[in-house]
Amino acid sequence: VCTYDSSQLTPPTAVADNCGVATVVASPVTLVAGPNTVTWTVTDTSGNIATCTQVVTVVDNEVPTITCDAAISVDTDAGVCTYDSSQLTPPTTDDNCAVATVVASPATLVAGANTVTWTVTDTSGLIATCEQIVTVLDTQVPTISCDAAISVNADAGLCTYASSQLTPPTTDDNC
């Protein structure tokens, strides 16, 4: 809960009356995070009322929680040898006030095992982190483009042709 019950506040100490004090009440009852103006109302046994105000600042000092998932494997993004970590499913987070952001770092993962640090920040700027291992797999097949059929002459004095003399085909791979 990101609030504070004003009934927990200590009433002003200079509460006195010649006939007796009946009640001392703080309003509002629930204070939210940040500065709040509390109005103290004192009522004496004759029904006379006096008030004063007090600024009470509610501070969120409770860090958010974060629980990373187990290690996972993902395929590289199309045409590249990397994976954009913004595609990962964020971990479970919670906060007594509110979660502002959940960010994965690094933003780009390379082929192989990567340690992803997840950072949760709440609306008060408090942070918590956890780590997840993400293995990026290269599952994209390479491409190859062969030249058209050709005819070659046998090597001199032989009835063969050394294939090492052929122009290599055009190849490409994301990694």
Side-chain angles (χ1 to χ4, degrees):
V1 178
C2 195
T3 59
Y4 186 82
D5 188 334
S6 65
S7 67
Q8 300 173 79
L9 294 171
T10 302
T13 55
V15 174
D17 188 76
N18 60 336
C19 292
V21 172
T23 61
V24 178
V25 179
S27 177
V29 173
T30 302
L31 308 178
V32 296
N36 298 263
T37 300
V38 174
T39 300
W40 288 97
T41 303
V42 59
T43 305
D44 69 11
T45 55
S46 298
N48 298 311
I49 296 173
T51 62
C52 68
T53 60
Q54 177 185 27
V55 175
V56 176
T57 302
V58 176
V59 178
D60 172 23
N61 59 6
E62 191 172 324
V63 296
T65 60
I66 186 168
T67 305
C68 278
D69 293 332
I72 61 168
S73 294
V74 296
D75 294 336
T76 57
D77 290 331
V80 294
C81 197
T82 58
Y83 183 83
D84 188 333
S85 64
S86 67
Q87 302 170 87
L88 294 169
T89 300
T92 302
T93 61
D94 195 20
D95 189 62
N96 62 315
C97 290
V99 169
T101 61
V102 180
V103 179
S105 179
T108 303
L109 308 179
V110 296
N114 297 264
T115 300
V116 174
T117 301
W118 288 96
T119 303
V120 59
T121 306
D122 71 9
T123 53
S124 296
L126 301 171
I127 64 168
T129 62
C130 67
E131 291 182 344
Q132 179 183 28
I133 301 299
V134 178
T135 302
V136 178
L137 305 172
D138 175 19
T139 59
Q140 298 175 52
V141 295
T143 60
I144 187 168
S145 177
C146 295
D147 292 335
I150 60 170
S151 295
V152 295
N153 295 322
D155 291 332
L158 299 172
C159 195
T160 59
Y161 181 81
S163 64
S164 61
Q165 302 172 77
L166 291 172
T167 303
T170 304
T171 62
D172 194 22
D173 188 56
N174 61 312
C175 290

